[in-house]
Amino acid sequence: MTTANDVLDALQSAFPGAIQEFRVESDNRLWATVDPNKIVEICKFLRDEEDFDHYSGAAGVDKIDEDLFEVTEILASHGAHPVVALLKVKTPRDTPSVKSLTGLFWNADWYEREIWEMFGINFEDHPGLYPLLLVDDLVGSWPWRKDFKGYPDYNTNERVLEKINPDGYAEYKISPTEAEIEAGTVPETRPEYPTFREREIMELETESEMILHMGPQHAIVPGPFMLDLRVDGERVKKAYLDVGYIHKGIEKILENRTYIQGIPITDRMCYLASLSNNEVFCGAAERIMGIEVPERAQYIRVILEELSRIQSHLLGTGEFLSLLGGATFSPFQWMILDREEIISCIESVTGARINHSFVRQGGVRNDLPDGFAEMTRSALKTVVDKTNEYKELLLSDNIYRKRMEGIGILSPEEARRFGLSGPPLRASDTPYDMRREDPILVYPDLDFNVISRKEGDSKARVEVRLDEIIESCHIVEQCLDQIPGGPIREKVSKKIKPAPGEAYYRVEDPRGEMGIFLVSDGSDKPVKVKVRGPVYAYMQALPPLLEGAYVADVVAIAGSMDACTSEVDR
Amino acid sequence: MGISDVVPIPVVIDEELEKWTVWGRPLTNIWLTTTEKIHEIIDMGPIKNILNWGRKNSLWFLMQPMGCCGVEMLVFGCPHYDCDRFGIIPRATPRQADVLIISGYITRKYLPAIKNLWGQMLEPKWVIAIGECAISGGPFYDSYNIINNTSDFFPIDVYVPGCPPRPEQFIKGFRELQEKIKRREDERGY
Amino acid sequence: MVLSTIVESITDFVVQEPKISGLIIGLIAAAIIASVINVGAMGVVWLERKVLGDMTNRFGPCRVGTRWGILQLVADAIKLFTKEDSIPRGADRPIYVWAPIVACITTMLVAAALPWGALNIGGVVYPLVAVNMDISAFFVEAALSLMAIGAFMAGWASNNKYSMLGAFRGMARMVSYEVPMGVCVISVAIMAHSLNIVEIVEAQSIWYIIAQPLGFVIFMIALVTDLGRIPFDQSEAEEEIIAGYVTEYGGIRWGLLYFQEYIIMLLGSVLLVHLFLGGWNGPVIPVISILSPMIWFLMKMILVLVFLIWVRGSLVRFRIDQVTDLGWKWLLPLSMVNLVWAVAVGVYFA
């Protein structure tokens, strides 16, 4: 098995002198600062020679003390080896510019656009550097830079100017903050680019084509995003996706909260996976602090995360079925009913239905209540029985199969190229699961299968989720049998101050690979938190997947992805 | 304006007719009526109570999930909580909805869209702000992209606190809105 | 004494002025039918919400008007009547306004020719039908398809992309299912030697569901398609094209279109009962023998309605190309087979 040292040796022999600094954190984490001019060649080498075919994302860090921007490219492999390479590129703060990786990795597009709009770092050779999450007003003020004056912002609504346009629709302009005006940092020249609407209208070809807007408010969207389809009759010619309608700036907010205060914010990144989000945020801090979580706490985390996976999959599948059969489709409502049982199990521990804020750095908040095991076992039994029933039902439903089979097929190569993870990737014959690849907590001690399917269509994606529910039930039952006694939280001082350092920690969210890239400078607040969410990758892969489908299939494909807009926008 | 302006009759008759009243209003006002006048008349009589009874028992809300509360909104319509008991059902198009549920953070980018949704809804209509984010920005109160105070933009009738509120609290919010409609104390005066 | 005088004078009037009296009788019948179908549709909506609720572990309406929620639909109707009336900018105003009215006319046309049960007076069964036409089966089937015209007008006039897609889908669906449905009606007529629904019912000593089961299945599928209900509700697929052809409709205009759908559902189930389930035929119930046919008729109708609701609660929606595919490639040939079968069996028994 390749380890981080092997990769480092290969790199150093292939590119002598290009690796300016390096740090081998463990067998599967390699940190390296590389020559900005050679980043593309190095990534190409890693991709082609060392099997780093999974581009996990990129993070920008504003090092205002050193007058530098740092862009970290996160590379991993789809199952060939467990090494994650984090390659840092430094660029001066006054003329920031980095080479784009879009030529190598298809899915680098969105990550680089995000860094551009937030930091103003230019990406050379990027095909379309348009804003992704931000409203056009804010582009040019680079909100994630440390010297951005518009944060904290308590009076947005007082500065809103309403204007009714000739069509009778309201438009809003928001004047700059007082701090910005005082500091004189109101951007005078904003970058010029065609807006989202203009871009899609430019591509209209014939008279018979039209743009069909699905969103921001539409029955298929689980949260506001705009899916625009260029259709000819019922046939989709091309799809365009505009996200950022609920961009809250969570990463910026986390930089200004202490580590404990940050936990409730991470809940809200994806409200169906809040326990995994807690876990990934706390786990990253634990990596830097170098503390080991007590075993009982690890078991509690695993139990709750798996329960949370069950409820998320039940809701995701149920919501998807409601897209196919209407809100009155009975299995959808039964699934919500089953979910309530799981929710009440989780609630008995955390006290909340969806936003738990339960995991702490060094352990968990409180112990399991009395009678939890019995309650959970009986709930799991119901869920397993019912899930088997749903599987049988969907398998025997001819209309359902007619609608779902062969729709939105993703070949394994394509799925990897799109940077997918979680159920959509596993449905495409790639058993890639963080619980196996990057083992954390007590997962190595547990016995479970990684579910995968060969077909790669919408039906397979739903089947993977249903099978995972059963597998998760199995894991929880094992944990309930094995859970030892003992403390539930390591002794950690009330004011958490990790030593200066960086960590990249990833877990298997219900939707796939959830990673947090955390930079600490020794203070009680993180310098930078970058969230690498799974749904971000799904959404990016959606437009190419929808090309050539029918309008009705858009629902079947987009729904089977089980997207969570909140996590895309953050 | 008198009837003689519309129908060719002697002005004398017109003057006579203007003396006649119904519920303290000139009869001509009722004959040559406009929508506002009909509303004025309805407002006075007991018929308004019947209308408000119908309205309060048939509050259809717009399916418009925005955040964490959107998930609870979905559960609110499903077994266990079952909003259909109260005659509350979700609708997908704003034209057929009566209640706009602001179920999360309104961002700069989404503000025009949600304002247009509100404009497309037909009167009588109400807004319920659900969750801390919709009330005051919630945990994201200091974000650069969030509109903190939703009530500056929408005439909000009921605030349901919680982050997110439980589905039971959704029901309570709707019950309070029903009470307000019944007592004619809602923001827009229906 | 006074009564007989009144009856006498009415009889005289009818004899002397047949045209005027015919008009008055027609208006009265129309009023009765309009109220019956509208109240009936409200009942259907209520039934659907209750039955669907029961299927999904819910209660359905249970707060407004006793614990059965019987006043729920009254509240909905009051609200819809007092909603703001709006016509979107850019809409084709006359067509937009006329679409719900056309839909209403359609339902009235169908309802006029359908027998609404029967009464057993002294051993003779009198069907309750407003217009007893000779070709009523054919007329009803033709008038049912007019509903698609109303829907198409609504979708076209709304100036909305979703509406237009919904309208096109509705039209494509109607075209592909009207033919098999018509062929099924013809098969029934051949077997009964009549196109008159009353005579078809009377001819069913064996219910036609037993005499031609294939025809029943095809007619049932085509009927669900005509009603535009899941799995054939492509024209208003809420999750794909918002509300389809009624996306821009609100208030009572939408209320009318919405109620027409349920009225059509009611009428469709009545037609199904008459054509295949023996209408009001059934053993005479003692004591209330006068109401006996009516009770059988209502029981069968409610059974069909519950079946339609059951289908809605348990199936997913087809895609539009699959719908037309099923219509042209499967139902049409099969309905021809059924026609041949009906002719053969009809000749044999005749």
Side-chain angles (χ1 to χ4, degrees), chain A residues 114 117-118 132-135 138 142-144 148 151 223-225 242-253 268-269 528 530 536 565-570, chain B residues 66 105-111 140 143-147:
Chain A
E114 187 188 313
E117 69 180 344
M118 296 302 179
L132 179 72
L133 299 173
L134 282 187
V135 65
L138 271 174
W142 318 125
W144 285 4
F148 172 60
Y151 181 92
F225 63 81
D242 189 21
V243 294
Y245 284 88
I246 48 172
H247 173 65
K248 308 170 280 285
I250 281 187
E251 280 138 322
K252 182 79 180 179
I253 294 172
R268 275 93 184 153
M269 271 179 332
K528 171 70 196 165
K530 165 69 193 164
Y536 200 70
T565 324
S566 182
E567 188 211 273
V568 181
D569 294 350
R570 301 185 303 280
Chain B
M66 283 160 71
Y105 15 74
I106 296 187
T107 62
R108 285 186 181 200
K109 199 170 181 176
Y110 198 39
L111 178 63
F140 313 109
S143 166
Y144 52 85
N145 205 26
I146 296 284
I147 305 294

Side-chain angles (χ1 to χ4, degrees), chain A residues 407-468:
Chain A
I407 297 301
I409 296 181
L410 267 171
S411 65
E413 294 75 38
E414 249 183 347
R416 291 175 193 184
R417 194 168 67 91
F418 289 155
L420 297 183
S421 56
L425 181 67
R426 290 198 283 273
S428 301
D429 199 15
T430 312
Y432 181 65
D433 192 321
M434 289 311 130
R435 293 173 289 183
R436 276 282 154 77
E437 299 295 324
D438 205 349
I440 47 158
L441 304 178
V442 289
Y443 280 116
D445 304 344
L446 299 171
D447 164 46
F448 64 96
N449 297 326
V450 176
I451 310 289
S452 67
R453 283 282 186 284
K454 296 243 181 310
E455 299 87 357
D457 55 3
S458 287
K459 182 161 165 282
R461 290 192 271 273
V462 173
E463 276 176 2
V464 165
R465 277 194 197 99
L466 287 176
D467 279 349
E468 273 185 12

Side-chain angles (χ1 to χ4, degrees), chain A residues 174-193:
Chain A
I174 300 182
S175 52
T177 56
E178 282 169 22
E180 280 175 323
I181 295 167
E182 267 175 38
T185 54
V186 186
E188 282 166 12
T189 51
R190 294 182 190 276
E192 283 191 9
Y193 53 87

